[in-house]
């Protein structure tokens, strides 16, 4: 979590702010990241991929407006990444270059 602003050195930090987007407020679901287990070479008869997801918090400097996003569940995301979990494809990727 941000204690001092890396841009202006102010200690006037507003933290623990939940991050929303337009659609997120409509559906009451803030933006998040998600990692999904890769498909095994030999898929069992019944298989559902495991996944790990986390939302974001923001810290904003009251002195200059510098903003940092962070998550409290970084260890779970790192562990999933090390196991080969990846971000799922999003259908809009076919329409808009990401």
């Amino acid at each position: 979590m941000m204690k001092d602003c890396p841009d202006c050195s102010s200690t006037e930090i507003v933290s623990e702010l939940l991050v929303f987007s337009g659609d997120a407020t409509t559906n009451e679901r803030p933006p998040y990241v998600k990692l999904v287990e890769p498909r095994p070479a030999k898929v069992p008869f019944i298989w559902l991929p495991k996944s790990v997801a986390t939302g974001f918090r923001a810290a904003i400097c009251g002195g200059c407006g510098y903003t940092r996003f962070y998550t409290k569940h970084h260890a779970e995301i790192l562990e999933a990444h090390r196991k080969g979990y990846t971000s799922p494809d999003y259908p809009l990727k076919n329409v808009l270059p990401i």
Side-chain angles (χ1 to χ4, degrees), residues 17-33 55-58 69 90 92:
L17 301 170
L18 191 57
V19 179
F20 286 96
S21 70
D23 288 335
T25 55
T26 305
N27 297 325
E28 296 180 10
R29 189 174 194 178
Y32 63 97
V33 294
F56 298 102
R57 298 286 176 169
F69 295 110
Y90 187 67
L92 210 57

Side-chain angles (χ1 to χ4, degrees), residues 32-38 49-54 74 76-88:
Y32 63 97
V33 294
K34 179 179 178 180
L35 295 177
V36 179
E37 177 183 31
K50 297 174 187 167
S51 65
V52 177
T54 186
H74 50 86
E76 291 91 338
I77 293 294
L78 179 60
E79 182 181 342
H81 173 72
R82 287 179 175 161
K83 290 179 180 177
Y85 288 31
T86 58
S87 224

